[in-house]
Amino acid sequence: MKKFWIVLVNIAIMAAILTFVVLYAGYENRDSYRRQIENFENTTVTMERVTENYLEGEQRICDVWAQYINNSNMTMEEAAEYIRSSHVLENTSAHIISTDTLTGLSTRPGIGTADEYEVSYQRLDLLKNTDWIDEIGKSINITRAYTNPMNGEQSLAFCNMVTLRNPDSDTAETAVLLRVIPISDLEQKWVFPQTELVNAELSMIDAGGDYILKGHNYKNSSFFEFYKSYNQTDPESSKELFDKITSSTGSVSMINSHGQECILAYTPLSATSGWTMLGLVPADDLKVDTENHVLFIVVSVGLLILFLSDLFYMRYLNKKLQIAARKAESANKAKTDFLSTMSHDIRTPMNAIVGLTTLAEKNPGDVESTKESLRKISLASNHLLTLINDILDISKVESGKLKLSPLTFSIVETVENLVNISQPMIKEKNIEFSFHINQFEKEYLYTDQLRLNQIFINILSNAIKYTEPGGRVSVDLREEHSDVTGCIKLIYVVSDTGIGMSPEFMENMYKPFSRQVDSRVNSIQGTGLGLAITKQMVDLIGGMIDCQSEQGKGTTFTVTLDIPVADRQREDMKLEPIDVLIVDDDETMLQTATDTLTSLGANVEQANNGLEALGMIEHRHLSGRDYTVIIIDWKMPDIDGIETIKRIRSEIDSQIPILLISAYDWSDIEDKARAAGANGFVSKPLFRSTLYDKINGLIGKESGSVEPEDDYSDLNGINILVAEDNDINWEIISALLAMFGITTERAENGRVCVDMLSKAEEGSYELIFMDVQMPEMNGLDATRTIRKLENPWAASIPIVAMTADAFSENIMECLDAGMNGHIAKPVDIKLVIKEIRRIREGRV
Amino acid sequence: MNMKKAISLLLTATMGLGMVACTGPKADVDKGFSPSLDKSTSCHITIAGGYDNFEALETEFDRFNEYYPNVELVFTKVDDYNNMIGTVLNGNDAPDIYVNYSWMYGREQYASCIDHAENLADPSLNINFNCIRGNIILNTDDGTLPMVPVFANTYGMLVNKKLFEKEGLNVPTTYKELVDVCNAFREKGYANPMMGFSQKETTSLFSLTIYPYFCGTVAGDAEAVKKLNSLDPSAGEYLRPSLEKVTQFMNDGCVDLDSCEQIENNYDAVILRFFEGDIPMMTCSGDTVSGTKKRESRSEAFIANPFDYAFVPIPVSDDGAYFLDMPNLQFSVNKDSANLDMANEFMRFLITSRELNQMAMNKGLMSPTKDLSFNNMYAAFGNIPESRILSPEVIGLTDDAVIQMRQAVYLVGKGEMTIDEAVAAYGTFTQ
């Protein structure tokens, strides 16, 4: 309704403008028309002056002749001869007509004759009465248009009375001298000067309305009759009009013989008595309204365009406003939903933590119950931490502040970490898990490891989470050739036999807080942010993510990334020519491991199960060619890896080095395996470097990368300076490190840390764990100050950030300030130990 | 002369056929005008004549401009037309079309008018004359057609219909009825049942009344016509029946000559006297009739007591009236015209029933076309049987012979000469 009124008002305004334009244009037209009429009147008056001058000029010539004749006592012949000799213009002639006989002489011979000069006016009514001819020089004496008796041309004549001498009687006789001018001569000169008046015509009438000179468009012999013939008028009005025309200057509208409206301008010819000059022009010739039409059309079209564009623009703006309003509404709802979700998702693990903590406090004597509570608190805490990290990540992603912090890292470590993290869930859900790698040549890559981990972990943890117990999850990680120079193509494929996703959900699965509506899903903890973050990470790294899923059958995610290869790689890894037997029921695993080992220089033989392996080992043993190393998978049909090892040790040889491999967490079976005779453990997937290091370790060769696993003796006695302003955090880290025999000293802030280090003796501290946000002096400034210390030991002491500032730019800030590493709070003690070892071994 | 006679007979037959054709389908007669030149042609056409005013023709100019808007047509009055037109045609102002008269044909002094005229019968001009009554088309010795009539003329009388209706009398159609009507009016107190101009011989009431009758007496008598044309005194006998008729007419008391003598001229005065409203019948020519319309407003008596009137033939024979069919104004095309094609195009436009009738109606003259019914004023002439339509052109009487007849009739009618004297004087009358 409102819109209708707006349109109506617009149309009304347009109509008002157009009406104004039309009225104004009409007024302008009328005004212009009026001016044109005035101009035409003035032109007619000008023409009257010109005509008057012309008539006076012609009359003057006639006067001069008459005067001369009168003064010279001439006969008619003499007068004719005199004038003949005075003629200048060829077309003019003079007639001298006796008033008695109305005959006389012409100065030009009759047409078709050479010497016939006699002329008669007897049959013309021009000279029967000569009263109208005034004295010489008094006025213009002009005849009406008449037919020249000598040549038949329509002519006018200027007259004077002359006195001639009769040669016979020697008496005076009167005659009329006529200076005769053809009208055709006058017509050529007698035109309106302006080009726009090309259709205008001049006429001259006497007091009775009879034409003296008649334009072509004038009809009848009388102008008044002509007027009456074509214009509605009554006798009184017409008389009034004719009086006006013959006595004043002005103009009037009239209809001509074509029914056309004309403007008649009139003005008295002052040099004559009662004559009037008439100018007649079609009214249309004086109307100049074409431009006004153009103006009207231009204004109309302009207004229409303006109106339509305004209309469309308003509609466009309204649409945009509606969209913006919807977006704002949606954003508001999203915020409400987010807060609601967060409230729920945070309160859930917090509820577990608070509740279980209360339970533990109330049952300090019940060790088992307390342990169980603490384990569950740990799980809830980890979930809460993941949730907080995800929220922070997605907020950074959405604000566009997420930046990559590329570092050189080992893909082997990344995969190990991935497997380690996944193991507890796999074990808990009793999921069949396999992890295949293939063709891995480059161990060290250069990208944001943290983000790569997030991608790998998010996809794998989703697969595990949404796969029912007893289901299967497989990971396939491949290195392929990349078209991008200096990069490898890393293809990460995770397949599961989980609940799958509906096509509808898949359309929005990368949007934050999207979780499938499914009773099974609702029972699974999740933030709905994982996939959104993963997609953003993949996009940020410049990769692609693809998903194939079918509800009830499972899901396969494929991530393809072009990752730069780090400059530094492991030196050439070559084993001595040893014989290796690898035993696994997984054909793919068997093949990839064989390829890897072969590429390391080993002779590899394969067995698909324990029994076959036993047969092959026995055969070798009997032939005196024992395998140098035997690698056996734990989970196999018939007899598993541990049983196989047990039988090898008991039935064949107790010395052959045997490695037990597993895709599962083998901590539970470690004791059992060692008891059975296993010499070492390797987690799947079997990286080239892992196999190289493990085999070398078993056969007594040095390998720099072999890490102690449960032996923390190397950490004993290490003293670390911890800069931490928070008492609880200090207490936690010092207690955790103490578990590994590491001693710590506290600095309450950066200033204290710098002071303590400055005063410390060389070697007092192995390294410094530096909190960032502290009073007096923050960790970054403290690090910069330390790096500037004069004491070289102090200035070069390893400093690792231990801070809740966990974003990649925070890490970069720390490294830029001169730190050597970064550990995010809450701390994972395993990572802390790993970092200590890395620092000690001088790895970067 | 034999040749001339043969041509005359041939033309008579042709005209007769033309009259018959007049009753045929109209489409054959007049298919109307369609332009044959470029309509954007621009030129100036002058038509010369003796009229002070020729508004009827100027109206045709406007109609022609509907086809050719850029053609400027002008009517120019030539002073002393009959004498001057020859000079005009030879001068610098020669018109493209000019007025001509059949009486000029064959006369030396008017030779220029014929010499300058284009042969309008030339088939290439494609002018269709079928719409014009054949007996008013000029017969020439060589078969050419230098002029074509645009108006016709005849003699007759104006009748005041109101008076006839008032007195319960019918317009007479025979001589007896004429005498009876005159007597009846006289008995009803009308002093002048019939009047006419009598001061001059030209178009006197005697000529107007007897000329058709005279033509009837000699029509078809080639010998008589020949003698009359040669002004042979013995031809005076051919006048006797007509002279006896005028004597009878006067004796029967149809007119009061003294009253007629008071009418000063054969135009204005005749009309204005008729408009007084007390004259049932007024003899006059078609030319005079053309002036009636304009003069209605000049007659106070007519304005005060207007009445319907018509122009009818004068019944001087017991067998009925004759219709003396004569050409009036004729147009010739100047064969030396600078715009000859357009001049011919205008003639082609004008020589159609529609335009000629329209122009005749506007001018108040009789139309030269075969259809006279369109104008009530002349409709009575359309009812005259073909056998009583006479044309001096066809009969072959020369103007000189006619002048002798007029003089004789005038003098006898006025009682200034006896019948015998007039018969004997044939060939000796001077104008």
Side-chain angles (χ1 to χ4, degrees):
Chain A
M1 197 60 186
K2 210 171 180 182
K3 194 175 164 186
F4 168 77
W5 281 109
I6 289 170
V7 171
L8 198 68
V9 167
N10 270 279
I11 290 172
I13 291 169
M14 278 171 60
I17 291 171
L18 287 178
T19 308
F20 172 76
V21 168
V22 169
L23 291 176
Y24 185 73
Y27 167 76
E28 278 290 302
N29 273 345
R30 284 192 298 279
D31 197 45
S32 161
Y33 184 45
R34 186 185 52 73
R35 286 197 301 272
Q36 289 290 329
I37 290 174
E38 276 177 14
N39 180 42
F40 182 58
E41 276 178 27
N42 293 335
T43 308
T44 305
V45 170
T46 306
M47 288 304 293
E48 182 271 328
R49 301 272 152 72
V50 172
T51 305
E52 197 172 285
N53 290 339
Y54 171 76
L55 297 178
E56 282 175 352
E58 291 293 340
Q59 182 67 50
R60 206 165 295 128
I61 294 170
C62 193
D63 289 350
V64 170
W65 288 348
Q67 209 118 38
Y68 187 83
I69 291 166
N70 284 343
N71 293 338
S72 304
N73 194 26
M74 289 179 169
T75 63
M76 187 177 282
E77 284 76 10
E78 287 168 345
E81 190 53 43
Y82 155 68
I83 294 170
R84 209 172 284 134
S85 63
S86 307
H87 268 316
V88 178
L89 301 174
E90 279 186 12
N91 293 333
T92 59
S93 61
H95 297 168
I96 304 167
I97 306 298
S98 162
T99 52
D100 290 338
T101 61
L102 292 183
T103 59
L105 292 175
S106 167
T107 56
R108 307 266 184 211
I111 195 163
T113 67
D115 51 4
E116 292 285 338
Y117 292 104
E118 287 177 6
V119 58
S120 170
Y121 276 64
Q122 286 172 335
R123 291 175 184 275
L124 295 171
D125 57 0
L126 281 180
L127 303 178
K128 284 175 183 167
N129 178 356
T130 56
D131 293 347
W132 56 275
I133 302 173
D134 216 335
E135 284 179 43
I136 296 169
K138 284 277 179 69
S139 62
I140 296 168
N141 305 313
I142 188 169
T143 65
R144 64 164 173 81
Y146 73 103
T147 312
N148 183 344
M150 295 301 282
N151 59 17
E153 290 181 11
Q154 290 301 109
S155 307
L156 280 173
F158 294 87
C159 306
N160 273 121
M161 298 302 293
V162 291
T163 304
L164 300 171
R165 180 170 54 82
N166 187 327
D168 298 330
S169 61
D170 203 25
T171 55
E173 60 176 7
T174 51
V176 180
L177 170 65
L178 300 99
R179 176 174 163 77
V180 185
I181 298 168
I183 284 179
S184 56
D185 273 16
L186 293 179
E187 282 175 342
Q188 287 171 11
K189 300 169 190 167
W190 221 29
V191 290
F192 278 96
Q194 287 107 321
T195 49
E196 61 267 29
L197 298 175
V198 67
N199 296 318
E201 283 190 338
L202 283 170
S203 281
M204 223 153 47
I205 58 170
D206 62 19
D210 289 340
Y211 298 107
I212 308 298
L213 273 172
K214 182 183 176 186
H216 295 141
N217 280 313
Y218 294 83
K219 307 289 182 188
N220 206 296
S221 60
S222 161
F223 169 74
F224 298 157
E225 290 299 321
F226 166 49
Y227 181 87
K228 283 192 282 187
S229 297
Y230 297 98
N231 293 270
Q232 295 280 343
T233 181
D234 56 78
E236 200 175 321
S237 305
S238 52
K239 186 177 179 311
E240 201 176 310
L241 177 68
F242 299 152
D243 287 345
K244 197 169 143 190
I245 286 174
T246 50
S247 63
S248 61
T249 298
S251 63
V252 67
S253 170
M254 65 171 282
I255 305 297
N256 70 3
S257 63
H258 296 280
Q260 215 177 9
E261 188 193 354
C262 293
I263 298 300
L264 176 80
Y266 49 84
T267 185
L269 205 63
S270 52
T272 61
S273 53
W275 289 11
T276 302
M277 173 76 77
L278 301 179
L280 189 69
V281 66
D284 284 346
D285 287 15
L286 302 181
K287 290 175 183 169
V288 193
D289 60 350
T290 318
E291 285 175 5
N292 291 334
H293 287 146
V294 172
L295 175 69
F296 180 74
I297 292 166
V298 167
V299 171
S300 302
V301 171
L303 283 173
L304 195 66
I305 290 170
L306 199 63
F307 173 65
L308 290 175
S309 54
D310 275 3
L311 199 68
F312 287 123
Y313 186 64
M314 274 171 66
R315 287 187 66 181
Y316 167 75
L317 276 185
N318 278 341
K319 223 168 204 173
K320 279 193 83 174
L321 282 172
Q322 280 173 2
I323 292 168
R326 272 202 295 271
K327 274 185 179 171
E329 201 177 321
S330 171
N332 200 31
K333 188 175 181 302
K335 191 181 85 182
T336 308
D337 290 349
F338 173 78
L339 290 175
S340 171
T341 307
M342 284 305 99
S343 174
H344 172 267
D345 286 7
I346 291 171
R347 279 171 192 279
T348 303
M350 280 303 291
N351 182 52
I353 292 166
V354 172
L356 289 166
T357 306
T358 309
L359 279 175
E361 281 173 348
K362 283 187 177 176
N363 301 302
D366 188 342
V367 177
E368 283 305 312
S369 169
T370 303
K371 269 188 174 177
E372 183 59 20
S373 292
L374 289 173
R375 191 184 70 78
K376 287 177 179 173
I377 287 169
S378 174
L379 285 175
S381 302
N382 284 333
H383 175 66
L384 195 57
L385 181 62
T386 306
L387 179 64
I388 290 166
N389 283 335
D390 282 357
I391 290 166
L392 293 173
D393 279 345
I394 199 71
S395 104
K396 284 176 73 73
V397 165
E398 293 199 335
S399 64
K401 289 179 183 171
L402 190 69
K403 299 277 190 308
L404 291 177
S405 303
L407 289 169
T408 298
F409 70 98
S410 164
I411 189 70
V412 176
E413 287 179 15
T414 304
V415 171
E416 280 174 356
N417 187 42
L418 174 66
V419 172
N420 287 341
I421 288 169
S422 312
Q423 286 300 349
M425 284 174 70
I426 292 166
K427 185 180 170 187
E428 187 182 336
K429 294 185 81 172
N430 191 25
I431 286 170
E432 187 184 332
F433 179 69
S434 62
F435 200 125
H436 299 128
I437 57 162
N438 193 16
Q439 299 290 332
F440 259 94
E441 295 288 332
K442 308 293 180 190
E443 179 178 342
Y444 289 97
L445 304 176
Y446 184 78
T447 189
D448 190 327
Q449 186 190 9
L450 188 66
R451 303 303 169 197
L452 189 68
N453 272 338
Q454 272 183 295
I455 294 167
F456 287 177
I457 291 167
N458 280 344
I459 293 174
L460 183 56
S461 62
N462 270 351
I464 296 165
K465 260 198 285 187
Y466 296 109
T467 301
E468 303 272 333
R472 187 163 50 80
V473 172
S474 68
V475 181
D476 184 10
L477 186 67
R478 295 197 299 278
E479 176 192 317
E480 289 187 359
H481 170 74
S482 168
D483 294 332
V484 183
T485 312
C487 291
I488 57 155
K489 192 181 285 295
L490 196 64
I491 300 171
Y492 178 65
V493 182
V494 178
S495 301
D496 64 61
T497 57
I499 60 176
M501 292 181 282
S502 68
E504 295 77 35
F505 173 73
M506 283 176 75
E507 282 177 15
N508 298 307
M509 65 183 178
Y510 295 123
K511 288 183 180 169
F513 304 108
S514 321
R515 294 192 72 195
Q516 193 163 205
V517 181
D518 190 306
S519 59
R520 295 168 296 177
V521 173
N522 293 342
S523 65
I524 297 166
Q525 279 191 333
T527 61
L529 296 170
L531 270 180
I533 293 168
T534 303
K535 176 75 166 70
Q536 295 291 342
M537 302 298 174
V538 171
D539 289 345
L540 204 61
I541 296 174
M544 289 190 303
I545 184 165
D546 177 57
C547 176
Q548 302 292 326
S549 184
E550 198 174 336
Q551 271 189 308
K553 289 193 174 176
T555 303
T556 299
F557 272 97
T558 305
V559 175
T560 308
L561 303 165
D562 288 306
I563 305 222
V565 177
D567 295 337
R568 188 170 67 82
Q569 293 294 334
R570 290 283 295 269
E571 66 277 9
D572 274 354
M573 292 178 284
K574 276 290 176 189
L575 294 168
E576 289 176 0
I578 55 172
D579 294 329
V580 178
L581 173 68
I582 183 155
V583 188
D584 200 335
D585 60 324
D586 183 341
E587 285 291 335
T588 311
M589 162 65 197
L590 213 49
Q591 192 53 50
T592 54
T594 303
D595 292 344
T596 307
L597 287 166
T598 305
S599 72
L600 285 169
N603 300 314
V604 185
E605 290 184 10
Q606 300 175 0
N608 288 319
N609 54 60
L611 293 175
E612 187 186 352
L614 285 171
M616 289 171 74
I617 295 165
E618 188 173 17
H619 176 70
R620 276 277 192 145
H621 186 69
L622 292 174
S623 62
R625 293 186 297 117
D626 282 326
Y627 292 110
T628 316
V629 175
I630 298 168
I631 301 169
I632 301 173
D633 186 35
W634 171 34
K635 286 196 173 178
M636 288 188 296
D638 297 331
I639 55 169
D640 64 15
I642 294 173
E643 183 60 30
T644 306
I645 293 169
K646 220 183 256 180
R647 288 196 190 179
I648 293 167
R649 292 295 182 219
S650 61
E651 294 172 13
I652 304 165
D653 186 348
S654 58
Q655 300 303 315
I656 300 173
I658 300 173
L659 277 173
L660 185 66
I661 56 173
S662 172
Y664 304 93
D665 181 4
W666 40 264
S667 56
D668 290 348
I669 57 159
E670 186 180 353
D671 292 344
K672 207 173 160 186
R674 285 197 185 280
N679 299 93
F681 302 91
V682 185
S683 292
K684 286 183 182 177
L686 299 177
F687 281 98
R688 183 181 161 88
S689 60
T690 311
L691 283 172
Y692 175 76
D693 291 340
K694 285 288 179 186
I695 290 169
N696 271 340
L698 281 179
I699 61 176
K701 297 290 177 186
E702 284 294 323
S703 171
S705 63
V706 177
E707 292 177 4
E709 287 168 358
D710 287 341
D711 182 4
Y712 302 105
S713 57
D714 57 321
L715 305 177
N716 236 335
I718 290 176
N719 191 32
I720 295 174
L721 178 58
V722 179
E724 174 62 66
D725 61 324
N726 187 286
D727 292 342
I728 294 171
N729 285 347
W730 151 247
E731 197 180 329
I732 289 169
I733 191 65
S734 64
L736 287 173
L737 290 173
M739 284 164 45
F740 297 91
I742 299 170
T743 58
T744 51
E745 289 180 36
R746 182 187 180 190
E748 285 78 5
N749 58 51
R751 173 76 56 212
V752 175
C753 180
V754 174
D755 290 346
M756 286 176 73
L757 188 64
S758 303
K759 292 171 188 167
E761 287 183 12
E762 186 173 336
S764 302
Y765 307 116
E766 194 77 21
L767 57 89
I768 300 172
F769 281 134
M770 182 78 80
D771 188 13
V772 172
Q773 293 189 22
M774 291 183 292
E776 284 195 48
M777 181 182 277
N778 65 37
L780 297 173
D781 290 341
T783 305
R784 289 188 196 102
T785 309
I786 291 168
R787 292 294 178 234
K788 289 175 187 167
L789 290 175
E790 287 182 3
N791 183 343
W793 165 78
S796 62
I797 191 167
I799 303 173
V800 175
M802 186 172 280
T803 172
D805 298 333
F807 295 133
S808 56
E809 60 266 30
N810 301 135
I811 298 170
M812 292 309 292
E813 269 181 351
C814 294
L815 297 178
D816 289 345
M819 296 191 194
N820 303 87
H822 180 277
I823 293 170
K825 288 178 184 171
V827 293
D828 180 341
I829 193 60
K830 285 183 184 174
L831 288 176
V832 173
I833 296 303
K834 200 170 188 178
E835 192 65 16
I836 293 169
R837 281 180 169 155
R838 186 179 70 83
I839 295 293
R840 290 196 74 198
E841 289 164 10
R843 291 184 189 172
V844 179
Chain B
M1 283 302 277
N2 284 339
M3 177 64 93
K4 243 181 157 181
K5 189 179 172 186
I7 291 168
S8 295
L9 285 171
L10 188 65
L11 279 168
T12 306
T14 309
M15 289 168 199
L17 283 171
M19 291 298 278
V20 173
C22 180
T23 59
K26 218 175 172 185
D28 292 345
V29 176
D30 184 6
K31 289 178 181 172
F33 172 73
S34 59
S36 62
L37 301 179
D38 181 357
K39 288 184 178 179
S40 63
T41 305
S42 174
C43 65
H44 183 87
I45 299 287
T46 305
I47 299 178
Y51 287 155
D52 283 340
N53 277 323
F54 206 159
E55 284 179 273
L57 179 63
E58 287 171 341
T59 304
E60 292 303 313
F61 293 166
D62 295 339
R63 292 164 67 82
F64 185 66
N65 282 149
E66 290 173 16
Y67 297 101
Y68 295 98
N70 300 325
V71 175
E72 193 176 69
L73 298 114
V74 175
F75 173 75
T76 303
K77 182 209 169 176
V78 173
D79 291 283
D80 188 18
Y81 184 81
N82 296 346
N83 293 308
M84 284 302 301
I85 184 63
T87 307
V88 172
L89 286 168
N90 290 319
N92 294 330
D93 261 0
D96 302 286
I97 296 169
Y98 57 98
V99 168
N100 219 330
Y101 297 99
S102 53
W103 53 262
M104 288 180 171
Y105 182 76
R107 297 191 181 195
E108 187 58 36
Q109 67 186 106
Y110 302 115
S112 277
C113 295
I114 307 304
D115 293 346
H116 280 88
E118 185 186 27
N119 175 21
L120 297 173
D122 184 344
S124 65
L125 300 182
N126 199 24
I127 300 175
N128 187 353
F129 300 103
N130 284 339
C131 63
I132 297 177
R133 297 191 295 280
N135 51 355
I136 56 172
I137 293 177
L138 177 67
N139 299 322
T140 58
D141 297 339
D142 55 4
T144 57
L145 187 61
M147 62 188 83
V148 59
V150 294
F151 294 129
N153 196 11
T154 190
Y155 300 149
M157 58 184 183
L158 286 165
V159 294
N160 185 330
K161 290 182 176 179
K162 192 176 176 182
L163 294 182
F164 276 90
E165 280 174 23
K166 182 184 167 190
E167 304 304 340
L169 299 170
N170 290 324
V171 176
T173 55
T174 64
Y175 182 72
K176 185 179 178 307
E177 284 176 10
L178 176 67
V179 174
D180 291 346
V181 163
C182 286
N183 290 334
F185 271 117
R186 192 162 287 118
E187 284 167 13
K188 290 176 186 289
Y190 292 86
N192 294 297
M194 191 172 185
M195 286 185 80
F197 174 64
S198 63
Q199 283 192 5
K200 287 181 184 171
E201 160 267 322
T202 316
T203 63
S204 70
L205 71 93
F206 311 108
S207 302
L208 301 182
T209 308
I210 298 304
Y211 186 23
Y213 181 82
F214 166 70
C215 287
T217 60
V218 298
D221 186 346
E223 183 64 24
V225 172
K226 184 181 170 188
K227 280 189 175 176
L228 285 166
N229 285 348
S230 65
L231 305 182
D232 185 341
S234 65
E237 280 303 321
Y238 293 112
L239 295 178
R240 188 172 293 279
S242 301
L243 296 172
E244 288 170 352
K245 195 71 185 177
V246 76
T247 304
Q248 183 190 358
F249 176 66
M250 294 307 291
N251 292 339
D252 287 337
C254 292
V255 293
D256 174 14
L257 203 53
D258 292 337
S259 299
C260 292
E261 284 295 322
Q262 291 169 16
I263 298 173
E264 290 176 350
N265 60 55
N266 63 356
Y267 200 75
D268 279 353
V270 167
I271 298 167
L272 292 174
R273 182 66 189 87
F274 178 64
F275 282 163
E276 290 294 314
D278 59 339
I279 310 298
M281 293 170 282
M282 174 72 81
T283 60
C284 65
S285 69
D287 272 338
T288 307
V289 175
S290 71
T292 53
K293 203 73 191 166
K294 276 193 175 176
R295 282 158 187 81
E296 287 177 359
S297 59
R298 295 188 200 169
S299 166
E300 288 177 8
F302 188 84
I303 292 168
N305 294 295
F307 55 86
D308 285 341
Y309 54 93
F311 189 54
V312 302
I314 306 165
V316 289
S317 159
D318 289 338
D319 298 329
Y322 287 103
F323 169 18
L324 189 65
D325 198 8
M326 300 174 290
N328 186 333
L329 213 62
Q330 308 211 45
F331 275 178
S332 293
V333 174
N334 182 355
K335 63 185 177 187
D336 299 321
S337 163
N339 301 300
L340 190 59
D341 287 344
M342 190 52 78
N344 286 326
E345 186 73 351
F346 179 73
M347 290 301 286
R348 219 166 60 73
F349 162 79
L350 189 65
I351 308 303
T352 56
S353 288
R354 182 181 164 209
E355 304 307 331
L356 288 171
N357 288 346
Q358 188 69 44
M359 189 162 75
M361 181 81 115
N362 289 338
K363 187 64 182 168
L365 281 168
M366 178 180 271
S367 170
T369 66
K370 292 167 182 173
D371 180 15
L372 291 173
S373 62
F374 72 96
N375 187 348
N376 286 336
M377 185 67 78
Y378 295 98
F381 289 87
N383 299 328
I384 302 294
E386 203 178 315
S387 60
R388 301 185 73 79
I389 298 173
L390 303 169
S391 167
E393 299 289 323
V394 177
I395 296 166
L397 284 170
T398 61
D399 273 350
D400 292 338
V402 173
I403 289 166
Q404 293 299 311
M405 180 278 299
R406 284 203 315 239
Q407 292 281 6
V409 168
Y410 179 73
L411 292 170
V412 170
K414 286 194 79 169
E416 292 175 8
M417 192 177 268
T418 64
I419 293 173
D420 289 336
E421 286 170 346
V423 168
Y426 184 79
T428 62
F429 294 111
T430 53
Q431 196 160 11

